[in-house]
């Protein structure tokens, strides 16, 4: 239902059953190859309801980015609420090694940043030099059209029509993730 809200916010009307059907096929595809389900559910809904594939893929990315933000927020809350327990662990295994690597490899980090900067500058120069030729290319126009549709799908998160329902479904999903982990502790005598 949450994905259906995103798709409908893009101006495409899909039925909840079609979206459910596509998501279930996506879960099935994930059993064969992890993350194949994200792409296959877009393909199924494209075939079933005619929604552009690139927009669907963008909406999936928007959904995953939103889930990542929720996950980072939950990790932050856990660290703050369990600072005594988690604080030393995070400091010992993440912060201290990271600071050691940064101080010993500063020249390597600077080199990587310079290389990335040069690649970006070269891409900008090449784009300006060959802009007119690129605009005439069919391949470039197809890639540009796909990128525009993809970005349209990603932007749906900011223009949701049923924002409250989207947040409610997100809460329910994450609450179920918590219960899925919590209930397993009662499955064994040693952890119950």
């Amino acid at each position: 239902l949450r994905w259906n809200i995103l798709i409908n916010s893009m101006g495409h009307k899909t039925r909840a059953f079609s979206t459910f059907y596509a998501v279930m096929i996506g879960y099935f595809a994930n059993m064969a190859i992890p993350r194949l389900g994200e792409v296959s559910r877009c393909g199924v809904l494209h075939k079933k309801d005619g929604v552009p594939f690139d927009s669907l893929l963008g909406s999936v990315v928007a959904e995953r980015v939103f889930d990542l933000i929720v996950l980072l927020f939950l990790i932050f809350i856990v660290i703050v609420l369990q600072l005594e327990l988690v604080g030393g662990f995070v400091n010992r295994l993440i912060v201290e090694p990271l600071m050691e690597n940064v101080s010993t490899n500063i020249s390597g980090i600077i080199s990587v940043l310079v290389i990335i900067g040069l690649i970006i500058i070269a891409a900008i120069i090449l784009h300006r030099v060959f802009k007119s030729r690129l605009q005439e290319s069919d391949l470039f126009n197809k890639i540009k059209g796909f990128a525009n549709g993809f970005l349209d799908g990603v932007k749906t998160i900011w223009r949701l029509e049923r924002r409250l329902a989207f947040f409610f479904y997100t809460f329910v999903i994450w609450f179920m993730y918590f219960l899925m982990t919590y209930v397993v502790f009662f499955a064994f005598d040693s952890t119950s």
Side-chain angles (χ1 to χ4, degrees), residues 172-184:
V172 169
I173 288 169
W174 282 93
F175 184 70
M176 291 300 163
Y177 286 155
F178 167 75
L179 287 181
M180 180 177 68
T181 306
Y182 181 71
V183 169
V184 171

Side-chain angles (χ1 to χ4, degrees), residues 110-129:
I110 291 173
S111 299
V112 167
L113 291 175
V114 167
I115 290 170
I116 290 172
L118 290 173
I119 290 172
I120 291 171
I121 291 170
I124 291 170
I125 291 171
L126 287 173
H127 180 265
R128 289 190 180 174
V129 169

Side-chain angles (χ1 to χ4, degrees), residues 90-104:
V90 170
N91 190 36
R92 186 176 66 254
L93 291 177
I94 297 173
V95 174
E96 289 175 2
L98 188 64
M99 294 316 247
E100 288 175 12
N101 284 338
V102 167
S103 63
T104 58

Side-chain angles (χ1 to χ4, degrees), residues 97-190:
L98 188 64
M99 294 316 247
E100 288 175 12
N101 284 338
V102 167
S103 63
T104 58
N105 294 328
I106 195 75
S107 62
I109 293 171
I110 291 173
S111 299
V112 167
L113 291 175
V114 167
I115 290 170
I116 290 172
L118 290 173
I119 290 172
I120 291 171
I121 291 170
I124 291 170
I125 291 171
L126 287 173
H127 180 265
R128 289 190 180 174
V129 169
F130 296 109
K131 187 176 182 178
S132 61
R133 285 188 192 167
L134 283 174
Q135 289 176 343
E136 295 172 3
S137 168
D138 288 338
L139 177 63
F140 177 78
N141 288 327
K142 285 183 182 181
I143 293 171
K144 185 178 176 182
F146 182 83
N148 287 336
F150 181 82
L151 288 175
D152 184 46
V154 171
K155 291 177 187 175
T156 56
I157 207 80
W158 286 279
R159 58 177 192 249
L160 287 172
E161 293 172 357
R162 298 175 48 208
R163 199 172 298 247
L164 189 62
F166 181 83
F167 290 129
F168 173 73
Y169 291 137
T170 300
F171 172 77
V172 169
I173 288 169
W174 282 93
F175 184 70
M176 291 300 163
Y177 286 155
F178 167 75
L179 287 181
M180 180 177 68
T181 306
Y182 181 71
V183 169
V184 171
F185 283 110
F186 298 107
F188 302 103
D189 291 333
S190 59

